[in-house]
Amino acid sequence: MIVVIEPHNTAEYSNLLDEMFRLRAHVFRNRLGWDVRVAEGKERDKYDDEGPVYVVYADDEARKVKGCLRLLPTTGPTVLADFFSDKLPEAVHLTAPTIWECTRFCLDEGILSRGNPEEMFFTSAVLISALGDVAIRAGIESILGNFDATMLRLYRRVGCEVEVLGSTLRYGQPIYLGLFPISESILRKVKRPLKNVQSLMVESTERGLLVA
């Protein structure tokens, strides 16, 4: 299932959030070697205190995290503003209610360890299609995201359209910033490999980000 976690329902999904933060520690510090802070086996940063929206791909019991990502509006504090603003062309303006930032996109450590390209592709497509559904229902027109070269290739294979805007070495290796347009046609392309998958459960939200 897909679970959308917002400030109003974090208590309900506290265990799932803990699993997500532990997965982030494994992926971003242990596997990728990013310079991120880990405490008690969990990776969190100051943006997790800004009321983000988390999109989590979990098992049917909402206990095990298969993939996750974090969303924040660009009208507030973002990774972009703190780490990428000096890498952008001067004419680029990327702060608007219809532009949101996606960070901490990661897949289950078991999936990454097995190194099966098709499994990684499928899980990424499920998570990205859920992100697309959330974005379209919320009126989001573009997503900003940061990623390494491997994920860029995967995003393009999944069917995402992405414009690379800049890069930084602040995480210890080249990390790119990209702009992903959101549209029904792009979402259909991403969902095409998922035709035979049973419909995913999506949690409705009090803030109106999704409709039931």
Side-chain angles (χ1 to χ4, degrees), residues 1 50 57 59 80 94 97 120 134 144 165 177 187-188 211:
M1 67 165 66
E50 295 295 335
Y57 177 28
D59 62 4
L80 162 67
L94 295 174
M120 292 176 62
V134 169
L144 285 170
L165 303 175
L177 175 72
L187 185 55
R188 283 195 298 271
V211 284

Side-chain angles (χ1 to χ4, degrees), residues 9 48 75 99 123 135 139 147 162 164 166 169 184 190 195-196 206:
N9 64 355
D48 292 302
T75 51
I99 303 175
T123 306
F147 42 81
V162 54
V164 177
L169 293 173
E184 293 281 2
V190 173
K195 285 182 179 178
N196 297 324
E206 293 176 359

Side-chain angles (χ1 to χ4, degrees), residues 84-138:
F84 287 96
S85 59
D86 61 335
K87 301 296 181 181
L88 298 175
E90 292 184 4
V92 173
H93 179 71
L94 295 174
T95 301
T98 57
I99 303 175
W100 282 47
E101 175 187 80
C102 173
T103 53
R104 296 303 194 260
F105 184 107
C106 62
L107 305 181
D108 171 56
E109 181 67 8
I111 294 173
L112 296 174
S113 298
R114 286 189 290 274
N116 184 328
E118 294 308 312
E119 187 178 19
M120 292 176 62
F121 169 81
F122 179 82
T123 306
S124 297
V126 170
L127 194 54
I128 291 170
S129 68
L131 168 59
D133 283 331
V134 169
I136 287 174
R137 295 180 189 186

Side-chain angles (χ1 to χ4, degrees), residues 2-5 53-57 67-69 71 127 130-131 134:
I2 294 293
V3 181
V4 179
I5 305 175
V53 175
Y54 301 104
V55 179
V56 181
Y57 177 28
C68 58
L69 57 86
L71 290 171
L127 194 54
L131 168 59
V134 169

Side-chain angles (χ1 to χ4, degrees), residues 33-78:
W34 287 20
D35 183 16
V36 295
R37 180 178 178 273
V38 173
E40 298 180 351
K42 304 171 191 177
E43 188 276 311
R44 286 179 55 95
D45 61 21
K46 64 181 182 180
Y47 307 101
D48 292 302
D49 297 324
E50 295 295 335
V53 175
Y54 301 104
V55 179
V56 181
Y57 177 28
D59 62 4
D60 290 342
E61 290 75 34
R63 293 177 180 174
K64 180 173 176 54
V65 178
K66 298 181 180 182
C68 58
L69 57 86
R70 177 179 66 191
L71 290 171
L72 279 167
T74 56
T75 51
T78 61

